Amino acid sequence: EVDSRKVFTYPLGPRLTPNSMQKSAMEELALLRETGSQRALAVAATGTGKTFMAAFDVQQVKPKKMLFLVRREMILAKRFKQ
């Protein structure tokens, strides 16, 4: 289960917490890890928070390595500006 007390924060920005879709997805990721899976693919509609969900998950799991793929350069550039 997602520890909602752990939040992703920006130094000068608002505190962010996972929404219900993100919490559900992170719980599924945790189940996958428990079964030994090392990879996952998040598929959801535009604007549902997949990028932030990935950030919440990385913060919680603290992996040694992570590969994050985005389909469009524009999406990646936009996230780095935020």
Side-chain angles (χ1 to χ4, degrees):
E1 183 170 307
V2 176
D3 185 351
S4 60
R5 294 170 295 179
K6 294 181 180 179
V7 296
F8 186 75
T9 59
Y10 288 104
L12 302 175
R15 291 175 60 103
L16 301 173
T17 58
N19 64 32
S20 61
M21 183 280 296
Q22 293 163 335
K23 287 179 184 179
S24 177
M26 291 169 62
E27 289 167 1
E28 293 296 323
L29 286 172
L31 289 173
L32 284 171
R33 285 189 186 96
E34 287 176 12
T35 62
S37 294
Q38 295 181 2
R39 298 177 187 162
L41 175 65
V43 180
T46 300
T48 56
K50 295 178 296 293
T51 303
F52 281 115
M53 186 270 303
F56 293 135
D57 187 62
V58 168
Q59 182 189 37
Q60 189 168 6
V61 176
K62 297 179 181 23
K64 291 180 184 178
K65 295 180 186 179
M66 182 193 85
L67 174 62
F68 189 83
L69 301 175
V70 293
R71 184 168 170 222
R72 299 186 185 263
E73 187 177 311
M74 181 179 75
I75 295 171
L76 184 60
K78 180 180 175 185
R79 293 300 175 208
F80 280 114
K81 287 180 183 178
Q82 290 182 345

